Amino acid sequence: MELRTRTQTVVFTDMADYTRSVVNSDREALRLLLERHQTMVEPVLTRRGGRIVKGIGDSFMALFDSATDAVRACVDLVEAHGPGSGSSVTFRASCATGDVEETSNDAFGETVNLSSRINSKTPAGEVWLSSGTWHFMNQAEIAWETTGRH
């Protein structure tokens, strides 16, 4: 297994209220929901240069070479499917920037863990990011406000 370390921005997306949506779903309805989920998320992330590493049920993990592009992709996703968009699905997204250990089909390390932890605290319809991502991104391109220290 070849392992390489690069500084990247790790994005996690998550479909809000997924568990409630699937509690009474049969397998076909679940399959259709996950297929629809992929068609909503993948084009938004890849359009900004993201590479989806894996899908984890109602979440995706993607890697970006640019922190700015990662945050912009997350904002695009949340705005396209957020409250007031007319979409029946709402997303949350998170970004963390730092060293990422990569193999041919996975990524791991502290930055991956941090993005995942941030995502678990992010409210539906919002994008939260690590201080590292904030420092690396072009702050003039993206409206942001602090949520405090967590």
Side-chain angles (χ1 to χ4, degrees):
M1 168 173 58
E2 183 180 335
L3 180 68
R4 75 180 171 181
T5 303
R6 296 185 326 157
T7 301
Q8 296 183 86
T9 299
V10 178
V11 166
F12 274 91
T13 67
D14 181 63
M15 191 184 312
D17 297 324
Y18 172 78
T19 303
R20 188 176 51 156
S21 300
V22 300
V23 105
N24 293 316
S25 297
D26 61 20
R27 289 180 291 176
E28 181 61 13
L30 179 58
R31 185 190 65 75
L32 290 172
L33 177 64
L34 293 176
E35 188 176 280
R36 184 170 161 241
H37 174 224
Q38 183 171 355
T39 63
M40 288 187 280
V41 174
E42 189 170 4
V44 176
L45 298 182
T46 58
R47 183 174 54 245
R48 297 275 187 190
R51 180 174 55 84
I52 293 179
V53 175
K54 61 183 160 185
I56 310 160
D58 66 325
S59 299
F60 282 102
M61 180 176 81
L63 299 177
F64 287 78
D65 292 333
S66 162
T68 303
D69 290 340
V71 176
R72 290 179 63 126
C74 291
V75 170
D76 291 348
L77 178 68
V78 166
E79 286 180 350
H81 301 286
S85 68
S87 177
S88 61
V89 177
T90 303
F91 290 96
R92 66 179 53 85
S94 61
C95 302
T97 304
D99 282 351
V100 176
E101 311 301 330
E102 246 189 298
T103 64
S104 60
N105 61 355
D106 204 358
F108 53 94
E110 188 56 36
T111 305
V112 173
N113 296 339
L114 178 58
S115 185
S116 176
R117 287 193 300 265
I118 292 169
N119 197 266
S120 72
K121 302 292 184 191
T122 304
E126 294 190 19
V127 177
W128 283 14
L129 43 114
S130 71
S131 60
T133 300
W134 180 80
H135 285 289
F136 276 99
M137 74 182 203
N138 183 330
Q139 296 166 23
E141 287 188 38
I142 302 162
W144 60 272
E145 61 185 55
T146 185
T147 61
R149 189 174 173 106
H150 297 273

